[in-house]
Amino acid sequence: MDSVADTKVWWLAYDFTAMGEADRNAEQGQSGARREVSSGPVWTAPGMPALLVMTAFGFSGHALLFPTVPLWVVTTGGNAAGAGAVNALLMLCTVLTQVLVPFALRRIGWNITWKLGMVFLGVPSLLHLLPLSFAGALALAVPRGFGFGVLTVCGAIAVAELVHPARRGKAIGAYGLAIAAPQAILIPAAPWVADNIGFALVFVAGACPLIGWFLAGPVARHVTSTSREADDRTTHGTRRRVRIPIQMFGPMLILLAVTAAGGALLTFTPQMTPNPTLVFTSLLTFTVISALSRWLIGAFADRYGTRLFVTPLIGLTAAGLSLIAWAVQGSGALQSAGLIVGMAIVGISYGALQNLTLLDTFAAAGRKRYGMASAVWNIGFDAGTGIGALLIGIVAAQATFSVAMLAAALLSILTLPLAVASARRRRQ
């Protein structure tokens, strides 16, 4: 992977401050055995069990609130644009935080950074129990974004560091399953519970990231990514430039397009159909299939690489969104079936492309820039989710959800040249 440094590329500059010599030496002493290839399951590698459980709790809280807060906005008198604005602000704050997480890891360490992230992610859910206006819901999206930014970047760095590169596809698949499995259950369940039992139960359950606070220490003890990034810095606190290869932006933009589609579906499916059973079934289909797809594609990527899969999956995204655009125009049995099938099709590409684009981003970055790669990938993921929530909401408010889904399909198609160019470059 380090051969990317020999390729003629464009570079962006990012300043990093060197980590202390003592901290780096202490972390390097832990890394030898972990990097050996093991024949055991990837989820039993040192640090992985705690990482996967912590990830599951963190994303459970996010999954419970992501469709519920927009539904609360609509229920209390808002419209689709307002509902989308909450999740768009959440994702904006997430992206801004992701840029700063590598700096926080060096300054205050893994343990404190991750614990703060769990607090920011969990406490705002309890504050939703207070009487709030639309402005209050927007305000609480800000700390949720801070916490989610910490969780996503730290998790992606950790999973790259805890296993040998030869098994990274499977490790990312296991990590993706820890993210997607809770979402598969909670994203469709949360709106149903809010509608049939009450929003309060969802908001109490949404504080579950606070449980992950207790797992931050065990994970932090095993993760040594900052020692690897120290090779790109001087050893006595001086600054030097860490170069960001342009090849990392192709996977990021492909990811951005598919997560824009996913963000739109997760945000607006409860508003696209008045049938709560159909909403539950559609979201359950989408989240379960995306979870399985993200997990299973890892083994194929380890064996065959990523280039065989990315382009067809982009086409699958556009096809599924087009089917959904047709389905939401009516309320008959055929349209209901079309919505579920369309959600399944998009779910396949949504899950698989997350795994594949993360692998491509790590490959482009090289082993010494895992923190940077994690930040860039997560920015693509969450910027796409926010763009999907905001723009699709605006289009739907001005036109219809059918037109909005076609706009999301067009955005996916526009990334096809990036996938073709990337596959051609890897063949050379």
Side-chain angles (χ1 to χ4, degrees):
M1 289 187 295
D2 289 336
S3 62
V4 70
D6 299 324
T7 306
K8 184 178 180 181
V9 297
W10 300 336
W11 303 98
L12 299 178
Y14 193 98
D15 284 339
F16 285 98
T17 303
M19 191 173 108
E21 187 82 34
D23 291 340
R24 189 170 63 253
N25 290 340
E27 287 187 346
Q28 285 175 336
Q30 303 173 13
S31 62
R34 188 190 70 247
R35 304 298 299 182
E36 295 177 1
V37 180
S38 169
S39 59
V42 292
W43 53 79
T44 63
M48 280 292 286
L51 171 65
L52 296 178
V53 174
M54 183 179 177
T55 298
F57 277 118
F59 275 87
S60 292
H62 174 74
L64 283 164
L65 266 63
F66 195 84
T68 304
V69 176
L71 180 61
W72 177 88
V73 170
V74 172
T75 302
T76 55
N79 59 16
V86 173
N87 283 350
L89 180 60
L90 168 71
M91 292 296 103
L92 173 62
C93 294
T94 298
V95 169
L96 294 176
T97 303
Q98 287 164 343
V99 175
L100 300 175
V101 168
F103 176 81
L105 292 176
R106 289 190 306 277
R107 286 299 188 185
I108 62 176
W110 278 84
N111 188 33
I112 295 176
T113 300
W114 232 332
K115 285 182 176 179
L116 285 174
M118 295 300 97
V119 170
F120 282 133
L121 193 56
V123 169
S125 186
L126 296 176
L127 296 179
H128 275 283
L129 295 169
L130 301 174
L132 293 175
S133 63
F134 172 66
L138 281 175
L140 290 178
V142 175
R144 287 170 56 209
F146 294 160
F148 195 55
V150 170
L151 175 66
T152 52
V153 172
C154 289
I157 299 172
V159 76
E161 286 295 327
L162 290 174
V163 298
H164 191 278
R167 309 175 71 216
R168 187 168 297 134
K170 291 180 180 178
I172 291 174
Y175 172 69
L177 187 62
I179 292 172
Q183 294 186 96
I185 300 169
L186 298 177
I187 285 178
W192 186 92
V193 171
D195 275 333
N196 291 276
I197 300 177
F199 285 92
L201 180 59
V202 179
F203 292 145
V204 170
C208 63
L210 294 174
I211 300 173
W213 188 92
F214 298 97
L215 297 168
V219 178
R221 285 194 292 271
H222 289 283
V223 177
T224 62
S225 65
T226 49
S227 68
R228 293 193 179 280
E229 291 185 344
D231 292 338
D232 279 339
R233 304 187 296 270
T234 59
T235 60
H236 298 290
T238 58
R239 294 174 182 261
R240 64 177 293 185
R241 286 181 173 181
V242 176
R243 298 169 296 179
I244 303 179
I246 197 67
Q247 284 95 330
M248 291 170 64
F249 291 94
M252 184 189 78
L253 292 173
I254 292 170
L255 179 69
L256 186 150
V258 74
T259 55
L265 294 177
L266 295 174
T267 301
F268 296 116
T269 298
Q271 287 97 59
M272 285 195 293
T273 173
N275 185 336
T277 302
L278 181 58
V279 170
F280 177 84
T281 304
S282 299
L283 285 174
L284 183 66
T285 300
F286 176 76
T287 53
V288 167
I289 289 182
S290 63
L292 293 174
S293 177
R294 185 171 183 179
W295 173 39
L296 295 174
I297 196 67
F300 291 98
D302 283 343
R303 183 171 183 179
Y304 301 108
T306 62
R307 66 181 180 86
L308 294 176
F309 306 107
V310 174
T311 302
L313 286 167
I314 292 173
L316 207 60
T317 304
L321 289 168
S322 299
L323 181 57
I324 292 171
W326 169 80
V328 298
Q329 294 181 83
S331 58
L334 190 59
Q335 282 86 358
S336 297
L339 177 61
I340 294 171
V341 173
M343 296 285 276
I345 292 172
V346 179
I348 293 171
S349 56
Y350 181 74
L353 284 172
Q354 290 176 45
N355 190 320
L356 298 175
T357 54
L358 183 55
L359 285 170
D360 285 343
T361 304
F362 280 135
R367 290 174 60 186
K368 296 179 181 179
R369 292 183 286 267
Y370 285 162
M372 178 200 305
S374 173
V376 169
W377 184 87
N378 277 289
I379 286 169
F381 187 105
D382 295 316
T385 304
I387 288 170
L390 180 62
L391 294 186
I392 300 305
I394 292 173
V395 173
Q398 298 299 317
T400 64
F401 278 114
S402 181
V403 174
M405 291 297 104
L406 291 176
L410 177 60
L411 182 61
S412 288
I413 291 172
L414 292 176
T415 65
L416 279 172
L418 293 171
V420 172
S422 178
R424 184 180 300 116
R425 185 166 54 247
R426 287 193 292 271
R427 284 197 298 267
Q428 293 174 350

